[in-house]
Amino acid sequence: MSSFRTLDDLPAEQRVLVRLDLNSPVEDGVVQDNRRFSRHAETVAELAEAGHRVALMAHQGRPGRDTFVSLEQHAEILAEHAGVDVDFVADTFGDDALAAVRDLDTGDVLLLENTRMTDDELPEKEPEEHAASDFVETLGPEFDAFVNDAYSAAHRKHASLVGFPLRLPSYAGRVMETEYEANTAIAEREFDGDVTMVVGGTKATDVIGVMEALDGKVDRFLLGGVAGELFLRAAGYPVGEDIDTELFDEQWDANEETIRSVLDERRDQVTLASDLAYADADGERAEVAVDDIVEKTQSFLDIGSDTVADYEPVIRDSEAVFVKGALGVFEDERFSVGTVGVLEAIAETDCFSVVGGGDTSRAITMYGMDEDDFSHVSIAGGAYIRALTGEPLPAVELLIRSAERDA
Ligand SMILES: Nc1ncnc2c1ncn2[C@@H]1O[C@H](COP(=O)(O)OP(=O)(O)O)[C@@H](O)[C@H]1O
Ligand SMILES: O=C(OP(=O)(O)O)[C@H](O)COP(=O)(O)O
């Protein structure tokens, strides 16, 4: 079977360009520490200790969102976890970035600015087009090798993920290697009993896009979060439209056809919320049955308690449960009932369980649950459900192409 090279194959004393996924929750401008830092720190420490000259790239948020911030704080958090100094330069591939890269000595580590701050990074394009961008053509020649550790971003065809492997000998970092192996093994597993997928979160497009491809693998989908509201909207309920957010209408336009087709063709496999929660005039959690919503006047921020009670027995009767996305805004305790209720129900059973996503997996630690009660907790969300379909991840394919080219 074709495979990629790992750090075990990396020659000594390289100038290495490394892609991490440090995309993190940001609260009031403050980047929140999470498992992505501790996991990537292992790769960074290994490269520094081996005496390579290390320049790191990563993205944070999406342009236009509150989470789209500089990586300056990320350098400090990563340094603490890795136990090595991590310098930061507020530039992606301009003169300041090139000067800092050329200044690297053996064992030094430098973090470049948020890759999404260069226009060349987004949107999705073919690898050949990205490889010909100014970003890749300028930065690439400064290095001997490219290491991709960003498994959780490997479903994206962005310049920093698929452009550099066409220019440089490329290797998988330790996180890429272990997450790829774990998620591939999970995708290949067969289950005799029912397989349930809990679908929520804000990145509805990522999950809705793979629901059809998971046909035959997943018996039942339990819906919540933004994705769940979009399904309720398709079923005729006046929810899932933007009031103060930009989460719904754009994703509705992109996914309406697929949602309607999923509902037409496999309505009995999809369970929608029967009630939703919102903040009332006093700021208290209030719940309403979806049948009683006549007009959309407020934002819904969680599934309701009756829905949690509907979902619990389905989880108890499942042989495997996959979670992608939170069922509500669990960071606010008032709206944690759905996410925590469902995760606790999973933890109490002995079913095979996987919880994925940078944000969603954080609920486990935030609410004092034990990670050992789940079979696998992945720092990847969209990449892990794409892997479940058996479809290749673009950035992984490019690592394999690089190994084949240099064989
Ligand atoms: N109804 C909702 N409205 C707004 N945000 C929601 C809602 N339900 C869940 N969320 C948010 O979804 C986020 C997780 O979504 P997403 O980024 O898609 O997942 P992950 O990063 O875990 O892959 C959580 O941080 C939670 O606050
Ligand atoms: O956090 C990520 O994905 P995830 O939320 O599916 O785990 C990745 O960093 C990809 O980020 P993106 O979904 O803005 O391209």
Side-chain angles (χ1 to χ4, degrees):
M1 192 191 79
S2 303
S3 194
F4 43 65
R5 291 171 291 193
T6 70
L7 298 190
D8 297 331
D9 307 300
L10 184 66
E13 295 188 16
Q14 299 278 286
R15 295 172 302 156
V16 215
L17 181 63
V18 185
R19 177 59 156 97
L20 307 178
D21 184 0
L22 300 176
N23 193 24
S24 300
V26 178
E27 286 171 14
D28 299 325
V30 180
V31 174
Q32 304 295 303
D33 194 357
N34 65 90
R35 293 164 72 258
R36 286 187 174 161
F37 286 98
S38 51
R39 295 285 311 280
H40 285 300
E42 291 174 34
T43 298
V44 173
E46 182 177 339
L47 289 167
E49 279 156 21
H52 300 293
R53 293 167 162 80
V54 185
L56 309 171
M57 290 185 295
H59 73 277
Q60 173 60 55
R62 297 178 181 179
R65 301 269 170 89
D66 290 350
T67 52
F68 184 61
V69 299
S70 162
L71 297 190
E72 192 170 2
Q73 297 172 65
H74 300 66
E76 282 173 35
I77 303 171
L78 184 65
E80 261 173 52
H81 283 283
V84 296
D85 287 342
V86 178
D87 285 338
F88 170 73
V89 58
D91 189 16
T92 49
F93 69 104
D95 290 345
D96 290 349
L98 294 185
V101 165
R102 288 173 190 158
D103 242 18
L104 285 172
D105 206 343
T106 171
D108 283 353
V109 181
L110 168 74
L111 178 62
L112 301 169
E113 184 55 289
N114 188 346
T115 53
R116 293 186 179 175
M117 289 185 181
T118 162
D119 293 342
D120 286 349
E121 173 72 343
L122 305 167
E124 302 234 321
K125 277 192 211 157
E126 287 313 304
E128 289 72 14
E129 261 184 275
H130 276 312
S133 65
D134 285 348
F135 175 35
V136 176
E137 286 209 321
T138 308
L139 208 50
E142 300 294 324
F143 297 92
D144 306 309
F146 173 68
V147 170
N148 191 349
D149 211 27
Y151 178 85
S152 45
H155 54 314
R156 306 287 185 223
K157 275 192 198 163
H158 298 157
S160 62
L161 294 152
V162 299
F164 291 102
L166 289 181
R167 298 238 162 238
L168 290 165
S170 299
Y171 304 82
R174 295 302 179 202
V175 174
M176 171 66 79
E177 190 186 346
T178 51
E179 286 280 331
Y180 174 79
E181 278 168 11
N183 287 301
T184 307
I186 289 165
E188 285 167 1
R189 235 178 125 121
E190 305 264 335
F191 299 98
D192 294 330
D194 283 347
V195 176
T196 297
M197 178 170 273
V198 178
V199 168
T202 55
K203 294 178 187 173
T205 299
D206 285 349
V207 270
I208 293 167
V210 300
M211 279 173 82
E212 287 185 312
L214 286 168
D215 193 24
K217 276 216 152 150
V218 173
D219 300 292
R220 186 78 86 98
F221 293 97
L222 304 178
L223 274 284
V226 170
E229 280 193 56
L230 293 178
F231 269 80
L232 283 168
R233 177 171 168 178
Y237 296 98
V239 300
E241 271 129 319
D242 288 316
I243 296 181
D244 325 305
T245 55
E246 284 178 16
L247 288 170
F248 293 98
D249 293 337
E250 204 180 298
Q251 297 200 89
W252 169 256
D253 291 341
N255 297 292
E256 179 185 355
E257 206 179 313
T258 314
I259 296 173
R260 291 198 187 284
S261 131
V262 169
L263 283 178
D264 280 350
E265 283 164 31
R266 39 187 93 97
R267 185 65 190 86
D268 54 335
Q269 281 179 276
V270 179
T271 310
L272 304 183
S274 57
D275 59 347
L276 295 172
Y278 59 96
D280 69 12
D282 299 323
E284 300 289 326
R285 177 187 172 99
E287 298 188 349
V288 59
V290 292
D291 287 329
D292 294 337
I293 303 171
V294 282
E295 198 186 351
K296 176 139 194 195
T297 49
Q298 70 252 304
S299 292
F300 295 106
L301 299 167
D302 195 9
I303 55 171
S305 318
D306 287 347
T307 304
V308 178
D310 293 340
Y311 288 179
E312 279 167 344
V314 178
I315 289 165
R316 274 198 297 275
D317 290 344
S318 298
E319 194 188 334
V321 182
F322 296 101
V323 181
K324 165 60 180 110
L327 296 167
V329 183
F330 68 85
E331 296 87 345
D332 180 333
E333 207 173 342
R334 294 171 301 170
F335 303 109
S336 63
V337 172
T339 306
V340 173
V342 162
L343 288 175
E344 282 181 345
I346 297 169
E348 280 162 19
T349 69
D350 56 6
C351 70
F352 179 82
S353 58
V354 184
V355 180
D359 289 299
T360 309
S361 56
R362 203 166 147 239
I364 295 175
T365 26
M366 263 182 93
Y367 290 96
M369 286 174 265
D370 187 348
E371 210 175 294
D372 293 341
D373 286 333
F374 303 90
S375 312
H376 182 62
V377 179
S378 176
I379 52 170
Y384 117 81
I385 49 162
R386 172 89 175 260
L388 277 186
T389 67
E391 262 188 69
L393 299 168
V396 172
E397 281 194 299
L398 266 293
L399 288 178
I400 296 171
R401 267 172 72 181
S402 167
E404 287 171 350
R405 188 185 60 221
D406 299 340

